């Protein structure tokens, strides 16, 4: 029997609610996304799975962790949960990296009339792989060889106040995700090489660094995504093409108005988002019941 709801109690999930959540993870949407990540004939770098839900993101995180563990694909790293920088009522369960699969994000928005399901949008699965990135990068006359001027600009950037501030914020425990924003005419493989040197010099331990694209206000932009063991975070260098420079800190704002040179998501934003709607918390026993029913 459900406990009476009080100011300090959380109603128990009913068997029907447990089944409704489990049914999503048995559905064509979730199973299709996992199949797309598992069975690809190309190298995949990253993916987004879009849902709408009333389930608290921390409960969803635990369901995802337990489900992958039971599939023999335990998660490789800590998950980050933060708000979207573009949609005020959306968030991301970010950096889900099951063993043997590319990392992906579960992006959610509030569901007005159901516990969980695919988001009401045209594309509910986005995947960035080798073929996509080759076609995306071919749109820009990116240079693959550096001049002496380019090398000087690269050295200046990775010694700049903008880069130092990005590093300090990334190391701060309150920052859960961050982009450095740059303008460049250089191929992202060059940015990757020089960034890895600068990160190593700072004592960071990077496990993987991959090219990805992302949608910002209807337009695709490039970035290099760094998956690190130290600090245990996933963070990016986002770039826009500028043929007149090798590399400089961005001169225009991207996702936020804090600074044109970086965009950061902090721990303080998520509680504000979660207060907007009555998200459903699940106990550990209820999470296990959901996973048992999948």
């Amino acid at each position: 029997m459900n406990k009476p709801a009080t100011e300090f109690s959380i109603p128990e999930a009913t068997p029907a609610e447990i089944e409704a959540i489990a049914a999503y993870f048995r559905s064509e949407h979730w199973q299709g996304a996992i199949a797309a990540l598992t069975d690809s004939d190309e190298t995949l770098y990253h993916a987004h799975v879009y849902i709408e839900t009333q389930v608290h993101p921390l409960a969803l995180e635990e369901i995802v962790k337990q489900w992958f563990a039971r599939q023999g694909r335990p998660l490789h790293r800590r998950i980050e949960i933060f708000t979207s920088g573009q949609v005020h009522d959306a968030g991301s369960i970010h950096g889900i990296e099951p063993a043997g699969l590319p990392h992906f994000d579960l992006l959610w928005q509030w569901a007005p009339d159901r516990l969980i399901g695919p988001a009401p949008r045209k594309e509910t699965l986005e995947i960035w792989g080798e073929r996509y990135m080759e076609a995306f990068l071919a749109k820009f006359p990116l240079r693959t060889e550096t001049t002496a001027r380019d090398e000087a600009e690269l050295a200046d950037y990775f010694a700049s106040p903008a880069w130092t501030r990005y590093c300090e914020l990334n190391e701060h425990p309150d920052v859960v995700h961050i982009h450095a924003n740059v303008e460049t005419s250089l191929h992202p493989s060059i940015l990757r090489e020089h960034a890895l040197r600068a990160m190593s010099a700072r004592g960071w331990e990077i496990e993987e660094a991959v090219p990805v694209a992302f949608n910002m206000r209807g337009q695709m932009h490039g970035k290099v995504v760094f998956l690190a063991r130290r600090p245990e975070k996933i963070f990016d260098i986002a770039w826009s093409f500028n043929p007149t420079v090798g590399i400089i800190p961005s001169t225009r704002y991207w996702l936020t108005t804090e600074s044109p040179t970086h965009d950061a998501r902090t721990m303080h934003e998520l509680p504000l988002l979660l207060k907007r709607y009555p998200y459903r918390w699940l106990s550990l026993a209820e999470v296990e019941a959901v996973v048992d029913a999948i």
Side-chain angles (χ1 to χ4, degrees):
M1 180 179 296
N2 287 353
K3 297 177 182 178
T6 71
E7 183 180 357
F8 301 103
S9 69
I10 300 171
E12 294 178 356
T14 66
E17 289 171 333
I18 295 292
E19 169 56 25
I21 300 169
Y24 167 72
F25 288 96
R26 297 194 304 265
S27 73
E28 181 180 354
H29 185 246
W30 176 260
Q31 294 292 334
I34 301 307
L37 295 176
T38 305
D39 301 330
S40 177
D41 61 354
E42 66 171 322
T43 299
L44 300 181
Y45 300 128
H46 185 49
H48 286 173
V49 180
Y50 292 89
I51 64 170
E52 63 173 7
T53 187
Q54 296 177 3
V55 182
H56 196 288
L58 289 174
L60 284 176
E61 174 190 9
E62 191 60 31
I63 292 170
V64 168
K65 287 167 62 177
Q66 290 198 25
W67 184 80
F68 274 115
R70 294 195 191 187
Q71 304 303 307
R73 296 184 181 275
L75 299 192
H76 182 59
R77 65 175 57 253
R78 181 178 61 195
I79 290 174
E80 304 155 339
I81 300 178
F82 51 84
T83 64
S84 167
Q86 301 183 72
V87 183
H88 76 280
D89 60 352
S92 176
I93 302 173
H94 181 266
I96 302 169
E97 190 179 3
L101 295 181
H103 75 290
F104 71 95
D105 303 340
L106 187 59
L107 290 93
W108 90 87
Q109 64 187 68
W110 171 257
D113 54 10
R114 58 178 172 172
L115 278 174
I116 187 169
R121 51 177 282 146
K122 183 177 180 181
E123 299 292 339
T124 59
L125 173 64
E126 296 176 323
I127 298 179
W128 292 273
E130 191 171 20
R131 288 194 290 268
Y132 180 99
M133 289 309 300
E134 286 178 356
F136 176 74
L137 295 175
K139 297 177 181 179
F140 307 94
L142 295 159
R143 295 182 294 116
T144 57
E145 304 252 344
T146 59
T147 65
R149 175 185 169 183
D150 295 330
E151 292 293 335
E153 288 190 16
L154 284 159
D156 287 346
Y157 174 73
F158 288 106
S160 69
W163 175 256
T164 299
R165 181 59 177 159
Y166 167 78
C167 292
E168 292 171 346
L169 287 169
N170 194 33
E171 292 167 346
H172 196 287
D174 285 351
V175 173
V176 291
H177 185 59
I178 190 168
H179 291 189
N181 302 327
V182 302
E183 300 172 24
T184 187
S185 61
L186 301 174
H187 193 279
S189 61
I190 296 174
L191 305 188
R192 177 185 184 277
E193 175 188 353
H194 284 75
L196 287 173
R197 289 181 197 165
M199 291 173 182
S200 177
R202 197 168 178 94
W204 295 359
E205 298 174 8
I206 309 300
E207 295 183 326
E208 191 176 2
V210 296
V212 177
F214 71 108
N215 188 313
M216 184 175 71
R217 303 185 184 93
Q219 183 176 352
M220 297 304 295
H221 294 266
K223 62 181 180 178
V224 181
V225 178
F226 299 88
L227 293 83
R229 177 58 55 194
R230 179 182 179 188
E232 190 180 354
K233 295 180 179 180
I234 297 175
F235 40 89
D236 307 346
I237 297 178
W239 57 268
S240 62
F241 180 71
N242 181 340
T244 67
V245 301
I247 181 174
I248 60 171
S250 178
T251 57
R252 63 182 181 85
Y253 292 95
W254 286 59
L255 295 172
T256 68
T257 57
E258 178 184 359
S259 169
T261 67
H262 68 265
D263 291 302
R265 308 256 64 87
T266 73
M267 292 180 65
H268 306 295
E269 299 164 4
L270 185 62
L272 300 176
L273 169 63
L274 296 177
K275 287 180 180 179
R276 292 182 181 142
Y277 301 104
Y279 283 94
R280 293 294 305 276
W281 181 254
L282 300 179
S283 68
L284 182 57
E286 290 166 342
V287 166
E288 292 172 349
V290 169
V291 179
D292 287 342
I294 297 173

